[in-house]
Amino acid sequence: QKEVEQNSGPLSVPEGAIASLNCTYSDRGSQSFFWYRQYSGKSPELIMSIYSNGDKEDGRFTAQLNKASQYVSLLIRDSQPSDSATYLCAVRPGSGAGSYQLTFGKGTKLSVIP
Amino acid sequence: DTAVSQTPKYLVTQMGNDKSIKCEQNLGHDTMYWYKQDSKKFLKIMFSYNNKELIINETVPNRFSPKSPDKAHLNLHINSLELGDSAVYFCASSLQANSGNTIYFGEGSWLTVV
């Protein structure tokens, strides 16, 4: 059973601080990693994707991947109240029938306090 | 210009009824999905179709039957609805079934069984 684990939170950070969201996965063969943001009552929307070890930056967001440790994280710099949402980590295996689907973690609820 | 659209957005129905949720994507994607998000916000794959062919069928009661008349449409029919079927159902699509293609979600259909 392929699993994706996240701390459900809530994670509370003050406005302007760095929010750090973490995710671990069980399938060592996983190749594609995604972070989705989901506001309450809305659908998930893609924030970042990462495929190689290291860091990937996009504006205030940085995704970090460490395949050896089976760990992927999302950093949000200068956190804003509008960043308050649930962040879903998703992992796609590299091959086989399972590569056709994303496995999602249960999400971490982030609350940015003004 | 909604990329992935699903109807209805809200559905309240009685136990034992049969209902359908329709989904259409105008992105030209080959692959479509149905995900279920329960009350604890856990997002789980139900089905995936690639070019009208079923490629993923997770452990879902056979009361749930997907139908894909063409690659732009994937409808979900549910027979004999039960209280436990109450959830948000998300339709999604991606360019291709495998590799790192991003999955785009519809706005969700909130199903309440009473």
Side-chain angles (χ1 to χ4, degrees):
Chain A
Q1 178 95 14
K2 298 178 176 59
E3 294 184 348
V4 177
E5 300 286 343
Q6 294 181 256
N7 187 327
S8 61
L11 173 66
S12 295
V13 299
E15 184 174 356
I18 296 175
S20 177
L21 305 162
N22 304 316
C23 172
T24 58
Y25 58 95
S26 63
D27 182 8
R28 187 170 287 278
S30 298
Q31 296 293 325
S32 307
F33 307 87
F34 304 85
W35 282 100
Y36 282 81
R37 177 176 64 198
Q38 187 175 23
Y39 292 113
S40 181
K42 300 294 184 181
S43 60
E45 55 177 329
L46 183 69
I47 297 295
M48 295 280 289
S49 58
I50 187 167
Y51 309 104
S52 312
N53 278 330
D55 294 0
K56 179 180 177 182
E57 188 175 317
D58 183 0
R60 295 187 296 113
F61 298 94
T62 299
Q64 299 175 318
L65 175 61
N66 184 326
K67 289 185 180 180
S69 300
Q70 294 174 238
Y71 174 92
V72 58
S73 65
L74 179 70
L75 300 178
I76 307 175
R77 289 182 300 281
D78 187 23
S79 295
Q80 301 296 309
S82 60
D83 295 326
S84 298
T86 297
Y87 289 80
L88 303 169
C89 175
V91 175
R92 193 197 291 263
S95 61
S99 66
Y100 295 139
Q101 66 183 74
L102 283 184
T103 298
F104 283 85
K106 293 187 178 182
T108 298
K109 187 170 183 178
L110 173 67
S111 180
V112 180
I113 312 300
Chain B
D1 278 13
T2 304
V4 182
S5 58
Q6 51 185 113
T7 56
K9 184 165 185 176
Y10 300 102
L11 182 56
V12 180
T13 188
Q14 290 186 327
M15 284 175 56
N17 283 351
D18 303 338
K19 291 294 178 185
S20 293
I21 307 172
K22 296 184 177 181
C23 179
E24 176 182 5
Q25 54 94 3
N26 62 5
L27 296 167
H29 288 170
D30 287 340
T31 306
M32 296 185 72
Y33 310 82
W34 277 108
Y35 280 83
K36 178 181 179 181
Q37 189 169 45
D38 60 24
S39 58
K40 295 184 178 179
K41 308 299 183 186
F42 189 31
L43 195 61
K44 193 168 183 182
I45 184 79
M46 299 175 68
F47 302 102
S48 178
Y49 272 70
N50 188 56
N51 273 321
K52 302 190 300 177
E53 290 190 15
L54 181 67
I55 56 172
I56 294 174
N57 183 356
E58 289 296 302
T59 306
V60 175
N62 57 15
R63 298 182 294 105
F64 291 78
S65 54
K67 284 187 172 54
S68 182
D70 55 63
K71 74 173 190 177
H73 295 83
L74 181 62
N75 304 322
L76 183 65
H77 188 76
I78 315 171
N79 289 327
S80 303
L81 279 156
E82 300 177 357
L83 292 177
D85 297 332
S86 296
V88 184
Y89 293 85
F90 286 101
C91 179
S93 73
S94 66
L95 184 60
Q96 291 178 337
N98 52 9
S99 77
N101 293 138
T102 300
I103 290 182
Y104 297 89
F105 286 88
E107 294 188 345
S109 294
W110 272 252
L111 172 64
T112 302
V113 183
V114 297

